[in-house]
Amino acid sequence: MPENAFPSHARVVIVGGGVMGCGLAYHLAHEGWRDVVLLEKAELTSGSTWHAAGQITQSTSSFGLGKCVDYNIGLYSGGLERETGQAVTWHGCGSFRLAYTEDEMDWLRHTLSVGRSLGFNIKLVGRDRVAALHPFYNLEGVLGALHTPDDGHVDPTNVTMALAAGARQLGVRIIRRCRATNITQDPGGAWRVDTEQGTIRCEHVVNAGGTYARQMGEWSGLQLPMTSMTHHYFVTEPVPEFENLDRELPVIRDDKKVSGYIRKEQQRGLIGIYEKENPNTVWEDHCPWEAENELFDPDYDRVMPWLAESLNRMPIFADLGIAREVHGAISHPPDGNPLIGPAPGVRNYWCCCGTQIGIGWGPGLTRELARWMVHGAADISMRDYDPRRFGSYAQKPWQVIKAKEDYCLRHEVPFPHFNRLAGRPIKSSPLYEVLKGKGAVHEEVYGFERPRWFAKRGLAQQDHYSFRRNELHEIVGEEVKAVRERAGIMDVTAFTKLRVEGVGAHALLDHLTANRMPQKAGAITLTHMVNRRGRIELETTILKMGEGVYYLVCAAFFEQRLRDHLAQHREKEDVTVTSLSSEWSALSLNGPRARDVLAGCTDAPLDNHRFRWLSAQQISIAGHDVWALRMSYAGELGWEFHMPNAACLEVYNALWSAGQAFGLADYGSFAMNVMRMEKGFKGAAELTNEVTLAEADVMRFVALDKAFLGKAQSLAESPALRWLCSYLEIEPDGVNDGHGGEAVLLNGELAGSITSIVYGHTARKILAFAYLKPEAAVSGTHLDVLIAGQPRAAKVLGAPAYDPDTLNPRKDTLAELIE
């Protein structure tokens, strides 16, 4: 093909030439895929990238994003420029994040602990240190600050051009002034990208369309939730006090007073504001194709309270004029996290969009997406960024509501378990109103409302936030005690529930699962699915309902991921997959009196001989046929009941009525999490695409004598594990029990990080899972865990803290249970 001829075919076509599209092109080429074409309708960076402030910080409590940020800083501070010869204009000035309240200080302490687990150069400092490095900032009311000296800012256009140059040097073709007009999939699976210059067919297509990404998705029948929000920053006239400075001032992030950031921009000041009220959307339905380097008129009325306070905080700006106003559009998904990964329901359509902080997050995330595309899995957990984390409920009006909420939260304290309430409820179980009337505080899980905890003893029926123990500590402890000593019931309707049936159902599932498939009707198997790289896709329970009919249950947010995994490995049309997630409800009944409660409302035999542990039967409760699965995530005698929605309320009422004589109590997900940790059950935070089956320490659920997808790759690293999932007990201090991501130290050296952590009310100690270096992951090893920035004594446990021999779920009589 002549050098300038328009290509007819490529392995990958990327649509969009901002930092995300160019970053992906660069990283795909570095991963070995070089038959890549990138299309840009105008000039590179002419969408949201060019008007970005270009800042990046290690001040993040997200372990995955922290890894991306660390990579990006290394790339910007020298690696990319050395490789490509293209200047990136890196300003390694460092930054401070200020705290004015104890809640903000606790946030910084937690961020410090996470930063240490990532190996960051990060410190918690007092006002004197801030004043020494930034003498012009008004520190009145400041209690402390997080200092991240390796932070900085970079020229967004230069970075993008350097990524593009690096991609070109490795063979990627970049075509500017070429607008894509449609993206469709041929019957054979290839993608067709129609453009103003011609049509390209490809194996993989990538939507890196920025503010156009949502409407581009609609070409292919996809719903990609995001909304364009506008953000201001202002550049002042030259600042006389900056003329004779011999160094660059650190960036100040002032979440409380400014709701944004202030920095030195050459000899001027730069003020960026995320207003906390009346956020502004644009292009809710359609971003105009003719938009190029688009900015909007400034709205001073909207941002004035924070702009005025910024001048109070930087008095040397107060008498200066504004020389430049930048008011541009940025994509905001409903939860603020970008859409990075496979689009739902199709094969080889990838999302690389919805990124509100493209310079800060982009290159690291695009490196992970390139690894996902080329090798089958990324090297960081992509759960928070997977586009399939939203379902069909995420319609446009809801997207707008949630994007506005996210924008206003951009500079608020990210409390643990923060509950985003806008636009809810959107999917309610049949018990929602009943449980709300009993004090339930709900959380949203894949659109569903799930109870977290139940308000009692006059405690307000609302979320109570803190990085420390608060009023909820005792409430959750009472729910745990009720289940451990009597019985508890929970609405678990949010579970993903699929029926897989047909003559090929067994063969398909056997090929995709690591454990042995259930053989008899009523048998249950807990198993894991891994991808072609041998990393964990998800954990699921499989019930054999009948010949050729299987029922799969897994965490709510894996609904589309599971459906896609099944669809993409189904070679014949002899398997039917039906989602029952919205049509069926589920309840969980646990505790030593669970059998007594259930016996009060069914005639089905419930003893061990006729209803075995890890088996299921159809039984009648309140006149409804219900699938009863004898299993327990709480580690107690228990059942899960799965049924059509129409049966749920009457089944719940029957169980509740029968349970009053035995002290039956409602409980929520907070108590459930405590109990699964006490029992040593791994959750989604442990079972991620980062790890193999051996590294996750789930080999007891692997049938080594059967073949399954990814087996060789998952077990290949077993002799030389990179890390191992370990179970820890940690010394409590009665104040702060940790929140995940904390550093784990062995003899003062970094040995790993925490994935899940909780105070075990029955065990009376903090319990955690952590991924540790193999030499640290030995039962009995003494460690330290940095909680709120301070070391706590810890030890690796060799067995669950509660019922280590798993006797309780299998016992047959009450006497056995209470002996």
Side-chain angles (χ1 to χ4, degrees), residues 101-118:
T101 68
E102 280 302 321
D103 280 337
E104 289 178 302
M105 286 296 295
D106 285 341
W107 171 26
L108 300 190
R109 292 180 185 110
H110 176 63
T111 304
L112 173 67
S113 298
V114 176
R116 291 283 172 80
S117 75
L118 290 159

Side-chain angles (χ1 to χ4, degrees), residues 4-5 22 74 98 107 155 164 284 303 330 359 371 413 432 494 509 512 775-776 798-799 803:
N4 294 323
C22 292
L98 306 183
W107 171 26
D155 184 285
E284 290 185 10
V303 300
I330 304 172
I359 300 299
R371 289 170 171 170
V413 177
Y432 176 73
L509 293 173
L512 295 180
E775 59 269 25
D803 189 20

Side-chain angles (χ1 to χ4, degrees), residues 538-558:
L538 54 90
E539 179 185 62
T540 183
T541 297
I542 301 179
L543 159 65
K544 184 172 183 178
M545 287 182 158
E547 195 58 38
V549 182
Y550 298 89
Y551 183 66
L552 278 62
V553 182
C554 68
F557 43 78
F558 287 137

